[in-house]
Amino acid sequence: MDLRANDEAGHNNELTMTEERKITTTPVMEFYRDKCVLITGGTGFIGRLLIEKLLRINVRQIILLSRPKKGKTVQQRCDDLFSSIVFMNLKKDCPNFIDRVKLVDADLQHPSLGLSDESIEYIVNNAQIVLHAASDVRFDQALKKAIEVNVRGTRDLLRISEKIVNLELFVYISTAYSNCPQGLIKEQFYTPPSEPEKMIQLVEAMDERFEEHMNKTVNDFIHPWPNTYVYTKALTEDVVRQYGELLPVAVVRPSIVIATNEEPICGWTDNIYGLNGVIAGIALGIIRIMHVDDNNKADIIPADIVVNAVLAAGWQTHVERKHDRPLQEAKANGEVKGVAKPRTKIYNCVTGNDNPISYQKIYEYSIEVGKHCPPKKSLWIVCHNTTRNKYLYEFYKLIYHLLPALLIDTYLRIIRRTPRVMDLYKKVHKFAGVIEYFANGRWTFENDNMKSLRDRLSPDDQVMFQCNIKKIDWADYFWTYIHGLRKHIANEPLENLDEAIKRHKQMRIVHFFILAAYYSIWALLIFYLFKAVGMLVL
């Protein structure tokens, strides 16, 4: 199959969504229309998709909390955000959409989000909906910063939301793995690993010496949670639970979020986290061995499905709780106290129950599609292997990764160029170690709330806010997904496809010559070894 033919036939205009454009009003759209929505994490992967969708369904204003980063001001980051291909449809239909976005300088790592008094006053008097998508997603982040951003940041945002005059909704985007020590994860709150407020007080009191000691012992401290990200997500959910007794709150827990399925463009992603990084590494010929159980279900979910689920869950929360009266007795002495039966609904946004796919199938689909659209800038051809045995993995890592890296770096030194392949593999192995827990673990996620939500949507809302994972054909999705990785991550246009295919054919020939030489050398070594010890008689 020719990728370009498929692109012309299936995506003749990949930036059009004709079926959606026929729909002008739905119950969910009416809820968000003309509202003022505050969004955190708007410059992130899910956040920018949320912004695009909300502007497309005509919210009145978006208050975008953002901070300076990597030498760029808030305005520069905003300019970069809206120059993204994600907003191309919106630019065609509504050239002045940026006028509906109000930038507010904020930083979740700082107390009260680092907001000025004027900014807080504006939020309190104008915001109606709060979508909290921001978090520090680094698995190896220091515990202090992870708690400051994920736990205290959320608590302080909820404190501000509590003061909002016309608050109609607060949605917190968590992760399906926040309670990963559990084998069965229900749509309910769990006992947190520690008291969130005490953990906030602990990190606020930390000096450098204590923080250094904590960083060295953090794995023991957070056990059985595998990293600070999911540990702090578990703490944060308890904070949200407490405030959910007083506020109209919903929690959405997506599993492993990957590239978009349909909207605003097919196969779009902007990061190499998680599965994106694995598939990109395999396609580029970098990752040749992984420690993973191929038979495990990979609970992956396209990003646009998550966005639609967030907005639909927000609508349902408003419908169910708009007549609620705050439980004043749940608040005493300025501290929010949880009560016996939480009001907040949790939505596990997962695929394993309704449309499961194994890691084996993912690799098969990806490798098959990759034959038709290889990246030109790859290190080598695709030759991916997996093993469930930790010791075999370490052996194969030496053979498939480290020895070739040593040879390539030696050659680079000889020709007086900077060796860099070994450093690359150090990063690859660190990344592999981080995701190993999730690739080899097994979980069952209940998603009755999510199913009920899908069934409750009107027919038009089921089109506009498609969150039914059963409708995804994984084989078709992976054609789009691999195409998207090539285009948006490898930054390779279709115009160089012929050159890329030709280069890969040449590398494949060289690859087989190297394999023949490699196994011949091993055969000779074994032959002479056996001969030397008298085990071989000619």
Side-chain angles (χ1 to χ4, degrees), residues 45-47 49-50 53 302-312 465:
F45 181 37
I46 292 295
L49 292 172
L50 276 170
K53 182 90 176 191
D304 51 334
I305 300 287
V306 176
V307 167
N308 289 334
V310 167
L311 297 178
F465 301 90

Side-chain angles (χ1 to χ4, degrees), residues 19-211:
E19 191 174 7
E20 285 194 4
R21 284 176 174 164
K22 294 175 185 176
I23 300 171
T24 57
T25 184
T26 71
V28 178
M29 290 173 70
E30 282 304 309
F31 168 61
Y32 288 100
R33 183 169 288 151
D34 293 325
K35 294 286 175 32
C36 180
V37 183
L38 183 149
I39 293 182
T40 69
T43 55
F45 181 37
I46 292 295
R48 69 179 64 193
L49 292 172
L50 276 170
I51 291 173
E52 192 277 339
K53 182 90 176 191
L54 287 167
L55 289 171
R56 189 161 21 112
I57 60 177
N58 291 318
V59 297
R60 173 169 52 85
Q61 185 182 57
I62 286 178
I63 302 173
L64 175 58
L65 303 191
S66 188
R67 63 187 171 93
K69 187 178 180 182
K70 295 181 179 178
K72 291 187 176 182
T73 64
V74 171
Q75 185 60 56
Q76 287 171 329
R77 292 187 70 199
C78 182
D79 293 341
D80 289 346
L81 169 68
F82 293 120
S83 66
S84 167
I85 191 173
V86 166
F87 295 93
M88 198 169 293
N89 262 330
L90 206 55
K91 288 177 182 176
K92 290 180 179 180
D93 296 340
C94 183
N96 299 320
F97 73 88
I98 295 179
D99 295 342
R100 288 187 281 151
V101 179
K102 179 178 175 60
L103 277 178
V104 174
D105 197 336
D107 189 338
L108 265 70
Q109 192 178 357
H110 296 159
S112 299
L113 314 183
L115 290 165
S116 66
D117 291 341
E118 292 78 11
S119 294
I120 291 175
E121 183 180 4
Y122 186 87
I123 291 168
V124 166
N125 291 325
N126 292 276
Q128 295 163 280
I129 295 169
V130 178
L131 303 180
H132 184 25
S135 65
D136 191 316
V137 299
R138 285 180 53 185
F139 285 5
D140 60 349
Q141 183 58 268
L143 183 63
K144 177 180 170 64
K145 184 175 180 182
I147 289 176
E148 287 173 343
V149 174
N150 296 344
V151 187
R152 187 180 66 187
T154 302
R155 182 204 64 182
D156 290 356
L157 181 61
L158 282 161
R159 285 179 173 177
I160 293 169
S161 299
E162 207 176 15
K163 300 173 184 176
I164 291 176
V165 176
N166 295 309
L167 182 70
E168 297 183 34
L169 172 68
F170 184 107
V171 180
Y172 173 60
I173 302 176
S174 185
T175 170
Y177 298 96
S178 55
N179 297 286
C180 56
Q182 306 284 335
L184 171 64
I185 298 178
K186 301 181 180 182
E187 292 174 306
Q188 67 180 42
F189 290 104
Y190 288 85
T191 303
S194 305
E195 173 58 44
E197 195 60 40
K198 289 181 179 178
M199 290 305 301
I200 293 171
Q201 292 170 3
L202 174 67
V203 299
E204 287 179 338
M206 276 186 186
D207 57 20
E208 289 185 11
R209 185 176 177 183
F210 186 13
E211 184 181 359

